[in-house]
Amino acid sequence: MILLWILIEIIIRPLGEFPLNDDWSYTRSLENLYRLHSFSICGFTSMPLIAQLGWGMLFCRLFGFSFFIVRLSTIVLGLVGVLCSYGIVKELTGNNRLAFFTGLIVLVNPLYLNLANSFMTDVPFAAALWLSVYCLLKGMRGAGRRYILWGVFFCICATLIRQLGLLVIVSWALVVVVKDSWSRKSLLMAAGGVAAVVVSYLVYNSLLYHYSGRPLLYDEGFNHIRMNFTNKEYPLPFFLTKQVFGVLVYSGLFILPLLFLFRVSRRMLVWYALTVLVVLGYCVGTKKVMPFFGNIINPAGVGVTDLRDTMILHLPNTPLIAHSVWVLVTVAGAIGAGLLAVAGVQAIRYLRRLTATVKAEPGVVFLVAFLVLYLGVMLVGGTFDRYLLPMLPLLCALVGMRLAPAISFRPLSIGIALTVLVVFAVVSVGETYNYFSWNRARWEALHYLTDEQHLPPTKIDGGPAFNGYYLFDDTYDWQEDPARKSWWWVKDDEWLVSFGPVAGYRVVKEYPYRRWMGAASGTICILQRIN
């Protein structure tokens, strides 16, 4: 898997001195820390972030600051996450081949590969969270207290990247006290672990507010939860229904290769078929197909197309994936969701005698407890597709544990599963390559405007990564009419960088880029407003 990861990165070629997606916000904070020795978290940041800044700072100290070096720090954590995925499933199931398939599923996941090649928080958070889960599982299963200490440490790291890392230590503590029948020793150990994580988080918040001030969007996710509970225009039950079916389709799609390694019994086939039919019925009834959630996976492929003509005006300046392809992807997700349903039913049956189950297999309960808590927060709070990543290897482990008797590693089963993985790999690698290709062209165009034409960023709309990095302002009015001007801190959009023509602008210069998948080439345009 290590060699495969390196090979994929060589193919993708994640080079370029520019931010991607929202990582401009985190990179700005790291650059201030490295160059100015100033601790200042950008106001666009909604999470603690500090553990990721520390990791990025280590790479900057060794190699100097650059966008590629910052990106490299996440690429390394991406590999760590893949190996952790293998370790978690191996620890819980004892099945090397299933663990290997899980590692591959994570490695070629389009969300994971795209985000691992950026300084976004998703992969660092997932890697720290999975490290914590792996160590706590080892400690829970008698490998020694040092694993519990490491598990708590990595949980602190996860929480100091994103707040939801707290759910790991809460899930572990609940299992520990029930497993040991609420003994004094278990209560002290659980309380100590929870206290270490919570105190670390609260102390950091206190230091953040004192030295940097509370970022404008800090804890924004909790605000979404509150708003969704009180939203009268879109009642919570309707919102949750949409969320549940979306999560089922995405998760089912991501674990689809596992489906071909299991033989579902006749009794469980009813649950499987019922789930597939209900999910497909919902999609037909609501006329919805993938992608349900926004952000990384979008109608044009994988990777945010964050320029005004596509993100705001929705102009057909980039080729979209055919509707028939999205229908097939949705059906594939529904088919995979059936496997999750079967594993879920088996887990519920197994957990009916909770105390006995915790004593016999604490790892299962730990896994289920975390998934229930994480899903609960995510479903109510709303979700981007990338928020599903932390669950991926844990869902694979749950399927492997609860359907172990049905697993089959016949040559045909392995061949089909590997074929599906190859399809995932081709799509993920190709789309990530495309993402870097057009972003390099975008930033070449922007540097032409700023370096050669000596235009200030205040006269350019280059997308949120450009305008946010150079012009972010806490006082900017985001509610300004997007039909007139983009929401991303645009002062004057006399100059516009886009995928194609926009009404009211003339094309000044074009920068072609090559795609690895889809259409052979594309173009980034520099446009000037017609007065």
Side-chain angles (χ1 to χ4, degrees), residues 26-183:
Y26 320 133
T27 307
R28 250 177 58 148
S29 300
L30 178 59
E31 192 173 9
N32 285 336
L33 191 61
Y34 177 74
R35 296 193 191 281
L36 306 177
H37 308 290
S38 169
F39 176 58
S40 176
I41 300 296
C42 176
F44 194 67
T45 304
S46 61
M47 68 287 293
L49 187 67
I50 187 63
Q52 182 171 334
L53 293 184
W55 178 255
M57 191 68 170
L58 173 63
F59 278 72
C60 291
R61 289 292 187 192
L62 291 173
F63 307 110
F65 177 87
S66 74
F67 284 101
F68 171 70
I69 292 302
V70 169
R71 202 174 295 136
L72 180 63
S73 72
T74 312
I75 291 172
V76 172
L77 286 180
L79 177 57
V80 171
V82 169
L83 298 177
C84 280
S85 301
Y86 171 90
I88 289 171
V89 177
K90 175 68 166 60
E91 181 65 25
L92 286 169
T93 67
N95 192 314
N96 278 314
R97 285 185 287 187
L98 184 62
F100 182 72
F101 268 98
T102 299
L104 291 179
I105 284 172
V106 172
L107 192 154
V108 303
N109 182 276
L111 300 178
Y112 193 80
L113 199 55
N114 179 279
L115 292 162
N117 286 276
S118 72
F119 197 57
M120 294 288 283
T121 59
D122 303 87
V123 168
F125 172 68
L129 186 146
W130 296 339
L131 274 168
S132 177
V133 169
Y134 175 73
C135 291
L136 291 173
L137 280 171
K138 294 280 286 186
M140 196 182 294
R141 295 161 72 92
R145 289 186 180 179
R146 69 182 184 277
Y147 280 101
I148 294 176
L149 294 175
W150 278 113
V152 172
F153 170 75
F154 287 122
C155 187
I156 292 172
C157 292
T159 304
L160 293 183
I161 297 174
R162 281 189 182 173
Q163 296 90 331
L164 292 185
L166 285 164
L167 300 181
V168 173
I169 203 68
V170 170
S171 306
W172 170 80
L174 290 172
V175 173
V176 165
V177 295
V178 175
K179 176 177 178 288
D180 292 340
S181 304
W182 300 85
S183 67

Side-chain angles (χ1 to χ4, degrees), residues 308-318 320 499-503:
R308 176 172 174 78
D309 57 333
T310 51
M311 181 173 273
I312 301 291
L313 302 178
H314 305 293
L315 297 175
N317 288 345
T318 56
L320 302 181
F499 286 101
V502 173

Side-chain angles (χ1 to χ4, degrees), residues 13-21 23-24 27 30-31 34-35 60 63-73 75 117-119 435-448 450-451 465-466 469-470:
R13 203 166 66 90
L15 304 175
E17 288 306 297
F18 47 77
L20 294 164
N21 204 335
D23 74 359
W24 62 266
T27 307
L30 178 59
E31 192 173 9
Y34 177 74
R35 296 193 191 281
C60 291
F63 307 110
F65 177 87
S66 74
F67 284 101
F68 171 70
I69 292 302
V70 169
R71 202 174 295 136
L72 180 63
S73 72
I75 291 172
N117 286 276
S118 72
F119 197 57
Y435 185 57
F436 272 92
S437 185
W438 77 257
N439 268 288
R440 275 190 283 268
R442 184 241 293 257
W443 283 89
E444 187 180 353
L446 288 166
H447 284 305
Y448 169 80
T450 57
D451 299 345
F466 174 82
Y469 185 74
Y470 288 107

